[in-house]
Amino acid sequence: MNKYLTAYYLDEEDLLKGLKKIMSKGVEVSDVLTPFPVHGLDKVLGLRRSRLSVVAFAGGAIGATLGFLFQAWVFTRAYPINFGGKPYFAVPSFMPVTFELAVLFAAFSMVFAFLISNNLGPGSKNIIHDEQITDDRFLLVVKMDEENEERIKVVENILSDAGAQGITLKA
Amino acid sequence: MEKLTFKLTKKTITVFVVMIAIGLIALLYGVFGGPGPERVAANLLLNNYYFLSLGLIGLFFVTVHAISESAWHTSVGRIGEAMAAFIPVGGALILLFFVLGGLHAVFEWTHEDHLDAILLKKTPYLNEPFFYIRSVLFIGVWAVMAHYIRKVSLQVDHNGDIKYFNRLRTLSAVFIVFYALSSVVTSWDWLMSIDAHWFSTLYGWYVFSSMLASGVAMIIIVLYILKRMGYMEHVNVEHLHDLGKYLFGFSIFWAYLWYSQYMLIWYANIPEETVYFYERHKNFEGIFYVNLILGFLIPFFALMTRKSKRTFSVLIPVSVIVIIAHWVDLYLLIMPGAVGGEKSGIGLLEVGLTIGFIGLFLLVTFWTLTKAPLASKKHPLYKESLDYHTNY
């Protein structure tokens, strides 16, 4: 069974300094929860760049292709109508719909990819470690093995040495 | 030790002078040996307009960031100011071109003896005295404002007093309002009135967006040349990223306006409007699509990722492509009306003359860069500019 060791800072500068200290001692910080984006935090945690833009491009490309092909099929095969003497396969008039579908698919793919990769959305269960992370606390979370009590003690000491407050162990 | 004062080496000057010489030779070839006076006049107008607009976009770049008080641009602001130094040169050249017969060679409405009913109705606006009044007024105000904005900007650097910073902001606001109106009117006068029967309400914005994209591309290229020479060390990858975003965004903006204009005319299918694109489809079909590929598709896909906007090895080829694309764009705006499908083409005259103008433009720009430190160290936002950090 896993337990979570949490501790918080009240200032983002202290958080960054403390995190560097903690991570240099070999503690794997599993998450940091902050009330606002902290500059340089992703570098300290060694996070990779988000791949959301790749998803957005793929979604947009699929949307554009589908939108274009669908119109081409409708206006040339399924239900050809002559609009003011224009050709049936009239590319300029397909552009607005193609563009809109590209934007729509890109947006939806981004939203759903974000929800899935962050385990959010309806039906997902997430632990709330500290209610004040939306207010003034910069919380860091370390995942711990329940049986390894020695390690928990060691990590607790490292955290308090680095100036973190309110160290608690929760299920 | 950071090199702050730019020095033009003799080698660089020689390169630019040789480019200007090539341009002059091409001009002589055009006048005496080659393709006819109409084509020479149309090409002179094209290049004059293009490089005058690049100078104006340099000033626009400086002023628009001065009123938005953005910090990052202070690191590259000098390049915009230096490009603005071409405004009096380019303005004088274009006026000279009109006076020395270019006006009659290019603009059909100046031949007052054979105007048809439509053009006669437009004579209250399209007549020579009023045309000259407008041209002289706009060029004069641009040149004077460029001079004062540069002067105040140097005072900000020299003195560091907040008074000059605020004065620069006020001057910038005045310039932007004036430029917003005058850029539209000059594009009607100098470009749209070539096809005097035709009109488009979007035209001014369309031309402006075209010049905006190529102006940013020119700033990136000048920055690259300076970096290669070992200057501009304070400009880091974050500033480059922002310039790349501009190039990406303005290319899309240009395509958006291109499409907005084309789509409405194509869909409405009114003969007096479609005649404009009919001519371009019939006689300029290849270059019509080349323009879209170079101006939109290549920058759009090449600059999409974050990494490509942060590396010169991608940005420089794309900038060159964008500059070519908007040259082609102006070619499509001018040539069909001024020269016609049969006589026009891209040959020695076009290429040589453009090289000449690039040489002149870069000579003026780099010569102006030697006049002031490359970094505006006492600018109130300079420090913030160095700490600037962009994520997306």
Side-chain angles (χ1 to χ4, degrees):
Chain A
M1 202 32 212
N2 283 325
K3 282 203 166 183
Y4 297 96
L5 201 58
T6 64
Y8 65 83
Y9 290 92
L10 290 172
D11 186 85
E12 78 260 35
E13 295 292 327
D14 296 345
L15 170 82
L16 287 175
K17 268 182 220 157
L19 259 182
K20 274 178 201 159
K21 232 184 215 173
I22 292 162
M23 297 196 53
S24 68
K25 288 189 177 152
V27 178
E28 281 185 32
V29 177
S30 39
D31 210 351
V32 176
L33 305 159
T34 60
F36 54 80
V38 177
H39 262 276
L41 185 60
D42 42 355
K43 257 187 198 165
V44 175
L45 285 175
L47 297 180
R48 275 175 308 160
R49 227 177 85 74
S50 159
R51 283 165 298 177
L52 206 58
S53 51
V54 180
V55 176
F57 179 74
I62 292 169
T65 317
L66 282 181
F68 190 86
L69 290 180
F70 179 70
Q71 289 175 89
W73 174 72
V74 167
F75 290 118
T76 58
R77 303 246 180 272
Y79 209 92
I81 300 173
N82 190 329
F83 292 103
K86 297 278 185 302
Y88 291 118
F89 185 68
V91 177
S93 69
F94 293 172
M95 282 301 138
V97 177
T98 307
F99 169 75
E100 295 295 345
L101 281 186
V103 173
L104 183 77
F105 273 60
F108 270 128
S109 62
M110 268 158 84
V111 169
F112 287 117
F114 176 78
L115 291 181
I116 291 166
S117 69
N118 287 300
N119 192 21
L120 290 168
S124 64
K125 277 179 193 149
N126 289 298
I127 310 157
I128 295 169
H129 292 290
D130 190 332
E131 301 213 324
Q132 269 175 273
I133 53 172
T134 55
D135 180 17
D136 60 349
R137 280 185 186 174
F138 300 80
L139 193 81
L140 55 94
V141 183
V142 188
K143 207 186 233 176
M144 297 264 72
D145 188 2
E146 194 182 18
E147 266 123 62
N148 197 346
E149 282 181 20
E150 276 177 36
R151 179 67 182 159
I152 294 178
K153 284 242 167 79
V154 172
V155 174
E156 274 180 347
N157 281 333
I158 294 172
L159 290 183
S160 63
D161 280 351
Q165 301 174 31
I167 302 163
T168 42
L169 189 67
K170 281 184 214 153
Chain B
M1 182 60 199
E2 207 183 346
K3 288 198 276 183
L4 274 181
T5 350
F6 177 65
K7 281 200 186 75
L8 259 180
T9 55
K10 278 208 172 134
K11 206 177 131 197
T12 327
I13 295 177
T14 320
V15 171
F16 294 150
V17 170
V18 167
M19 285 168 88
I20 296 169
I22 291 174
L24 285 175
I25 292 167
L27 182 63
L28 288 177
Y29 159 75
V31 172
F32 293 109
E38 283 167 344
R39 205 167 132 181
V40 177
N43 272 296
L44 280 171
L45 176 66
L46 193 164
N47 286 305
N48 258 324
Y49 187 83
Y50 196 18
F51 290 96
L52 175 59
S53 298
L54 290 188
L56 282 164
I57 294 296
L59 191 57
F60 177 75
F61 181 82
V62 173
T63 51
V64 86
H65 290 107
I67 54 170
S68 64
E69 288 190 20
S70 71
W72 71 273
H73 97 283
T74 47
S75 62
V76 291
R78 282 280 182 268
I79 298 177
E81 285 171 18
M83 280 164 65
F86 191 75
I87 296 172
V89 182
L93 281 178
I94 202 165
L95 282 178
L96 199 67
F97 163 76
F98 289 142
V99 175
L100 292 181
L103 196 62
H104 289 278
V106 175
F107 298 102
E108 188 194 348
W109 55 263
T110 56
H111 303 279
E112 282 171 19
D113 42 338
H114 42 88
L115 293 182
D116 55 29
I118 295 173
L119 291 189
L120 278 174
K121 266 188 202 159
K122 295 186 180 182
T123 43
Y125 183 80
L126 283 180
N127 58 62
E128 278 187 49
F130 194 29
F131 178 90
Y132 276 118
I133 290 170
R134 270 171 301 172
S135 298
V136 171
L137 173 77
F138 292 144
I139 291 169
V141 175
W142 288 339
V144 168
M145 291 217 67
H147 176 76
Y148 276 104
I149 286 168
R150 166 82 173 174
K151 202 172 150 192
V152 176
S153 172
L154 289 183
Q155 277 169 333
V156 170
D157 186 27
H158 194 66
N159 197 304
D161 197 331
I162 197 75
K163 187 175 79 183
Y164 296 112
F165 179 71
N166 289 335
R167 191 177 293 166
L168 182 64
R169 207 176 42 189
T170 316
L171 267 176
S172 301
V174 174
F175 173 77
I176 285 188
V177 172
F178 183 77
Y179 180 59
L181 300 169
S182 57
S183 71
V184 170
V185 175
T186 48
S187 76
W188 296 341
D189 284 354
W190 298 345
L191 299 177
M192 195 164 85
S193 76
I194 294 169
D195 299 274
H197 293 89
W198 180 84
F199 59 90
S200 160
T201 42
L202 200 60
Y203 198 87
W205 268 90
Y206 170 72
V207 174
F208 171 69
S209 72
S210 177
M211 294 302 113
L212 198 52
S214 42
V216 172
M218 189 52 105
I219 290 174
I220 294 172
I221 288 173
V222 173
L223 174 65
Y224 176 69
I225 298 173
L226 285 173
K227 280 231 168 205
R228 278 292 294 269
M229 289 174 173
Y231 299 95
M232 285 287 190
E233 274 166 17
H234 59 283
V235 177
N236 59 35
V237 73
E238 311 288 342
H239 304 134
L240 193 63
H241 190 174
D242 268 4
L243 287 170
K245 277 188 273 189
Y246 266 160
L247 190 61
F248 179 66
F250 290 144
S251 293
I252 296 174
F253 180 56
W254 170 79
Y256 164 66
L257 291 181
W258 184 94
Y259 179 72
S260 303
Q261 178 172 287
Y262 181 79
M263 165 77 170
L264 287 183
I265 291 172
W266 176 84
Y267 216 99
N269 207 8
I270 300 167
E272 67 174 27
E273 289 175 354
T274 48
V275 65
Y276 190 75
F277 284 112
Y278 176 74
E279 171 67 16
R280 278 149 186 79
H281 270 304
K282 202 176 83 185
N283 291 322
F284 296 84
E285 193 166 16
I287 205 169
F288 184 79
Y289 293 110
V290 164
N291 182 20
L292 280 179
I293 294 167
L294 294 183
F296 173 63
L297 287 180
I298 291 178
F300 181 68
F301 285 108
L303 293 181
M304 201 180 260
T305 63
R306 170 187 159 95
K307 210 179 166 190
S308 62
K309 293 184 206 105
R310 294 168 81 92
T311 42
F312 268 124
S313 56
V314 181
L315 262 182
I316 288 301
V318 173
S319 299
V320 172
I321 287 172
V322 166
I323 284 191
I324 295 170
H326 295 289
W327 187 93
V328 169
D329 190 21
L330 278 179
Y331 182 89
L332 275 173
L333 296 178
I334 292 171
M335 294 300 162
V339 184
E342 285 141 33
K343 284 192 215 157
S344 62
I346 297 180
L348 282 176
L349 171 66
E350 278 77 7
V351 176
L353 209 54
T354 309
I355 289 174
F357 266 92
I358 292 174
L360 182 61
F361 183 80
L362 290 181
L363 183 64
V364 173
T365 304
F366 281 93
W367 185 72
T368 316
L369 280 171
T370 61
K371 301 276 164 183
L374 289 175
S376 185
K377 290 223 158 170
K378 279 189 188 161
H379 194 288
L381 299 170
Y382 182 69
K383 174 81 174 62
E384 194 183 334
S385 168
L386 294 188
D387 291 341
Y388 176 68
H389 192 82
T390 178
N391 270 318
Y392 299 102

